[in-house]
Amino acid sequence: QPVLTQPPSSSASPGESARLTCTLSSDINVGSYNMYWYQQKPGSPPRYLLYYFSGSDKGQGSGVPSRFSASKDTSANTGILLISGLQSEDEADYYCMIWSSNTYVFGGGTKLTVL
Amino acid sequence: EVQLVESGGGLVQPGGFLRLSCVVSGFTFSDYEMSWVRQAPGKGLEWISYTSVTGRTTNYVDSVKGRFTISRDNAKKSLHLQMNNLTVEDTAVYYCARVGNNHGFDIWGQGTMVTVSS
């Protein structure tokens, strides 16, 4: 069972950018997977943000602003969610996820605080 | 409007059972794979089950294999999760989620709470 590791918390100021990471266990290669990102606010279900496989294979969720974007650092076996122009409403928990053969694995989530 | 509405949660004793349902509207249910995802209080998301569009292919996380069964009724636009031999570790909010064209969960229900306690 692959493991996705996310830092428990992160913080940034309004207007700045937040870089949230999701590191895959060494038995799997981030370059081989779609990585999905979700946002969850207290008391609400998760919201699908986007998926990223490569620069030419990615997709934004319906209604998700373009200031949410993703990438991969293959040297670190890590997926990255970048939120630019931070707003107070971006304060939430963020989860990464991968899919393989009808099996899904979530990271533990990162609580993003907008200071 | 695309909508998923779960029901069937509640308080149950350890060893008991519950059947969750998810009724959908606003899209062609039979065109989409579906999943169940749960979230224990104060914890992260955990995928627990998947079904193909026909229901012939299913999959489960190891912790629920042999105890939970996912099923669907395309005519009634409904998804179900039969949960048997429940333990306190199954206490969570259970979400149904639509599997989008790129295999992500693009639509989520509001969730139904399951509490396993004596």
Side-chain angles (χ1 to χ4, degrees):
Chain A
Q1 176 88 344
V3 175
L4 279 61
T5 301
Q6 299 182 252
S9 63
S10 180
S11 63
S13 298
E16 293 184 343
S17 295
R19 182 178 181 270
L20 307 184
T21 61
C22 176
T23 301
L24 276 59
S25 49
S26 59
D27 57 327
I28 55 174
N29 180 358
V30 71
S32 299
Y33 292 89
N34 281 356
M35 183 162 285
Y36 307 88
W37 290 92
Y38 301 88
Q39 176 194 66
Q40 187 180 32
K41 297 182 180 180
S44 293
R47 173 196 184 194
Y48 174 67
L49 294 177
L50 50 79
Y51 86 95
Y52 185 91
F53 181 77
S54 68
S56 58
D57 186 355
K58 58 186 178 180
Q60 207 80 350
S62 176
V64 176
S66 59
R67 56 194 188 83
F68 289 86
S69 63
S71 64
K72 292 178 180 176
D73 181 348
T74 53
S75 66
N77 210 26
T78 295
I80 298 164
L81 176 69
L82 182 68
I83 311 172
S84 60
L86 270 174
Q87 301 176 2
S88 58
E89 66 201 51
D90 298 330
E91 185 162 293
D93 294 329
Y94 291 85
Y95 293 91
C96 60
M97 184 188 84
I98 61 170
W99 163 83
S100 177
S101 301
N102 302 331
T103 297
Y104 303 82
V105 180
F106 285 96
T110 295
K111 181 177 181 60
L112 175 63
T113 301
V114 181
L115 302 169
Chain B
E1 180 191 7
V2 175
Q3 201 169 10
L4 309 178
V5 179
E6 301 96 334
S7 62
L11 174 63
V12 62
Q13 292 187 338
F17 62 91
L18 279 176
R19 178 177 170 86
L20 306 184
S21 296
C22 171
V23 176
V24 316
S25 58
F27 65 97
T28 304
F29 179 63
S30 56
D31 285 348
Y32 288 88
E33 301 163 349
M34 299 291 295
S35 269
W36 288 95
V37 177
R38 68 183 178 185
Q39 186 170 35
K43 302 297 184 182
L45 302 172
E46 180 184 32
W47 168 80
I48 55 170
S49 187
Y50 156 91
T51 179
S52 63
V53 295
T54 61
R56 284 197 287 265
T57 299
T58 59
N59 205 2
Y60 304 89
V61 69
D62 286 347
S63 60
V64 308
K65 277 181 183 175
R67 300 189 299 123
F68 290 12
T69 302
I70 190 172
S71 62
R72 63 189 296 162
D73 185 332
N74 285 343
K76 295 183 177 179
K77 299 182 181 180
S78 62
L79 177 73
H80 304 282
L81 186 68
Q82 177 68 41
M83 305 187 297
N84 296 332
N85 193 21
L86 286 161
T87 73
V88 295
E89 287 75 30
D90 296 317
T91 294
V93 175
Y94 285 72
Y95 297 101
C96 65
R98 188 178 82 171
V99 181
N101 294 333
N102 55 38
H103 303 286
F105 302 140
D106 62 350
I107 305 293
W108 296 68
Q110 288 296 312
T112 186
M113 182 71 205
V114 171
T115 302
V116 184
S117 174
S118 55

